[in-house]
Amino acid sequence: MEQFKFIDLFSGIGGFHQAMEQLGGECVFASEIDKFCNAQYERNYGMSSDINIRDVKEEELPAFDVLCAGFPCQAFSKAGKQQGLEDKTRGTLFFEIVRILKHHHTPYIVLENVRNLVSHDNGNTWRIIQESLRELGYRTTAEPLILSPHFFGIPQIRERVIILGKYDPDNIDEPLNIDLGKLNAKEDNSIYSVLEEREVDKSYYISEYEEMVLQAWDEFYQGINLKVIGFPVWADYFKYKGTYDGLPDWKAGFIKKNVKLYEDNKEFIDGWLKKYNNLKKFTKTHHKMEWQCGTDIASIWDGVIQFRPSGIRIKKPNNFQALVAMVQIPIIGKYRRRLTVEEAARLQSFPVDDEIKPFIPDDNRQQAYKQFGNSVNVEVIRRAAEALFKN
Ligand SMILES: C[S@@+](CC[C@H](N)C(=O)[O-])C[C@H]1O[C@@H](n2cnc3c(N)ncnc32)[C@H](O)[C@@H]1O
């Protein structure tokens, strides 16, 4: 399609908007109830998105060729409660889409959701969505289309299901042909491709305390005889003398591994604990370290670090997990600072570096991280839609 019109439902900060515009689309309607997202939408695209989809009368929508919707994933997310279609407030938002499609017979649809949607409620949610689209006259892909930015050379592992549809009731049994070309493997991507090499605002750098804690755990890693640590290291259990009776197997196993780690490295660990005064200055959650890098990196300072409630987690720089509505902003070990808002934008393929029409993130940093975490990856949608439009 050379020129087309689209609507952007649950529009957030416009991940779909970006992708569709890049393909030659013009946005004729957007709907979003979050006021911070509304402000960003207005600022970046010069149009209002401030309307609840439930208040929209389908017959009043302007004509359009593509319906885009990343319907809210709270009820479907693995992280949240496993509710679903019976969840009245959120589960039925898909039916807002159905209502609009029924009236408009929109030629193409591009929907996005968490990967978990496919297996949610024993496959029932997925089945209902597929059956509804079929009943409305939409051909879809034979299998759920699971895509991640890392397939396209963007260093983020974020698997999402993309539901593509073409209105074609006469050929409803013919699956769509979606050719995405050769896809990259995880290992081909490095976080450094989106990082600033120059100095960034000083507020992004880690604190002295954080540096001390990470330095301590790096010394620990360097000092012990184990390089692939397949369990969370928890200093509070090194000298455990209690009983294992009544503990769940996973917990007993985990404690035993920590006790053994201590026994095998007693001399070093005793010196380490002494040097750091038995971790007395460490926050409780920093007594725990999860090394999730195998032997791919040799130091914490080569990894991507997160201070999580479950402990300090270290990941490889080419295995960057999904940016979610982030509270614990990842730390780039090599630069001793957190990921900047612009870098988060690049992970979601928002054109913050574009010279003509750059995307301007929210001035409120926490809001900006949250918005990028909730957004779709622009490149994923662009590539999927491009392939769809060839049908
Ligand atoms: C997963 S996010 C979609 C993000 C968006 N695709 C982007 O690229 O930024 C879902 C959004 O749906 C919005 N939403 C929830 N209920 C809504 C409703 N009744 N009408 C309009 N938007 C709604 C939420 O505020 C949230 O921002």
Side-chain angles (χ1 to χ4, degrees):
M1 288 201 294
E2 296 241 310
Q3 282 182 338
F4 62 93
K5 295 193 162 127
F6 66 93
I7 64 169
D8 193 4
L9 307 183
F10 313 106
S11 54
I13 52 169
F16 282 97
H17 191 118
Q18 292 284 348
M20 293 299 138
E21 248 184 23
Q22 287 177 22
L23 293 171
E26 181 200 343
C27 188
V28 292
F29 176 79
S31 162
E32 170 58 62
I33 53 170
D34 180 291
K35 64 179 189 317
F36 296 102
C37 289
N38 293 145
Q40 288 313 109
Y41 211 88
E42 181 86 49
R43 182 188 197 186
N44 278 284
Y45 312 117
M47 65 183 285
S48 169
S49 58
D50 183 10
I51 183 158
N52 187 325
I53 191 62
R54 295 184 198 275
D55 299 335
V56 174
K57 294 198 172 62
E58 56 270 33
E59 61 276 14
E60 288 175 7
L61 283 172
F64 58 96
D65 310 289
V66 185
L67 177 145
C68 302
F71 43 115
C73 55
Q74 286 94 332
F76 300 116
S77 165
K78 264 187 196 154
K81 277 189 223 136
Q82 301 271 329
Q83 293 172 314
L85 288 176
E86 71 281 358
D87 172 356
K88 288 274 184 283
T89 53
R90 300 202 184 275
T92 56
L93 282 169
F94 173 72
F95 293 99
E96 300 293 319
I97 298 173
V98 170
R99 166 172 82 77
I100 293 171
L101 292 176
K102 208 166 169 177
H103 183 84
H104 287 269
H105 302 311
T106 315
Y108 290 108
I109 58 174
V110 185
L111 313 180
E112 183 252 14
N113 215 298
V114 290
R115 189 197 168 128
N116 190 26
L117 182 76
V118 178
S119 54
H120 183 253
D121 192 14
N122 291 322
N124 194 42
T125 309
W126 182 252
R127 207 178 58 244
I128 290 173
I129 290 175
Q130 294 300 309
E131 281 170 6
S132 311
L133 293 177
R134 189 186 163 88
E135 203 179 288
L136 287 161
Y138 286 89
R139 280 166 58 201
T140 55
T141 52
E143 297 296 326
L145 181 65
I146 310 287
L147 296 179
S148 165
H150 79 264
F151 291 174
F152 305 108
I154 302 137
Q156 185 190 184
I157 299 168
R158 179 192 184 87
E159 292 188 327
R160 291 289 186 271
V161 62
I162 313 293
I163 305 172
L164 301 173
K166 178 181 176 158
Y167 183 69
D168 192 1
D170 294 340
N171 300 297
I172 199 77
D173 290 322
E174 201 182 311
L176 291 172
N177 178 24
I178 302 300
D179 182 3
L180 295 162
K182 190 179 171 302
L183 303 178
N184 275 17
K186 283 189 234 187
E187 298 69 32
D188 300 341
N189 303 290
S190 157
I191 186 76
Y192 295 109
S193 66
V194 301
L195 299 183
E196 310 274 1
E197 284 177 27
R198 61 180 174 85
E199 289 279 300
V200 300
D201 191 273
K202 66 176 188 318
S203 55
Y204 285 114
Y205 289 87
I206 58 176
S207 66
E208 252 176 60
Y209 165 76
E210 289 169 330
E211 181 142 4
M212 183 272 291
V213 169
L214 293 177
Q215 184 57 32
W217 279 111
D218 193 47
E219 286 169 22
F220 182 90
Y221 183 70
Q222 305 305 330
I224 55 170
N225 64 4
L226 193 64
K227 288 303 154 202
V228 180
I229 318 176
F231 57 93
V233 177
W234 197 345
D236 297 353
Y237 284 109
F238 288 164
K239 298 176 188 175
Y240 185 74
K241 295 272 186 289
T243 171
Y244 292 95
D245 293 346
L247 289 178
D249 286 353
W250 67 265
K251 182 137 198 202
F254 154 79
I255 295 174
K256 282 176 188 163
K257 284 177 188 152
N258 273 280
V259 170
K260 180 167 184 331
L261 181 70
Y262 174 67
E263 294 297 333
D264 290 350
N265 297 272
K266 195 168 181 319
E267 200 179 327
F268 166 73
I269 294 179
D270 280 340
W272 181 79
L273 285 171
K274 191 159 174 235
K275 176 171 177 189
Y276 289 101
N277 198 15
N278 283 316
L279 313 191
K280 284 211 179 82
K281 283 200 178 143
F282 289 39
T283 305
K284 268 279 172 207
T285 55
H286 301 161
H287 290 199
K288 216 169 154 189
M289 193 267 290
E290 300 171 280
W291 179 267
Q292 300 189 348
C293 327
T295 52
D296 288 9
I297 58 173
S299 158
I300 280 187
W301 299 114
D302 293 332
V304 175
I305 306 146
Q306 259 180 313
F307 284 106
R308 301 165 62 96
S310 59
I312 301 168
R313 183 175 290 179
I314 323 292
K315 291 258 188 194
K316 297 184 275 192
N318 67 347
N319 193 2
F320 190 84
Q321 296 300 313
L323 201 65
V324 283
M326 296 190 295
V327 186
Q328 303 106 16
I329 311 303
I331 293 165
I332 312 302
K334 188 170 157 190
Y335 299 152
R336 304 195 181 211
R337 64 163 174 82
R338 290 187 159 73
L339 194 80
T340 68
V341 164
E342 285 71 23
E343 290 163 347
R346 287 184 205 125
L347 286 173
Q348 292 291 52
S349 309
F350 274 73
V352 275
D353 304 306
D354 195 284
E355 286 184 4
I356 299 162
K357 211 177 162 191
F359 181 83
I360 318 280
D362 202 312
D363 301 322
N364 176 322
R365 202 179 278 175
Q366 286 313 317
Q367 276 297 331
Y369 284 123
K370 180 175 163 212
Q371 291 162 4
F372 288 123
N374 278 334
S375 140
V376 285
N377 179 282
V378 174
E379 184 65 5
V380 165
I381 297 299
R382 189 182 75 81
R383 296 286 285 269
E386 195 173 40
L388 166 69
F389 297 161
K390 290 191 178 133
N391 280 267

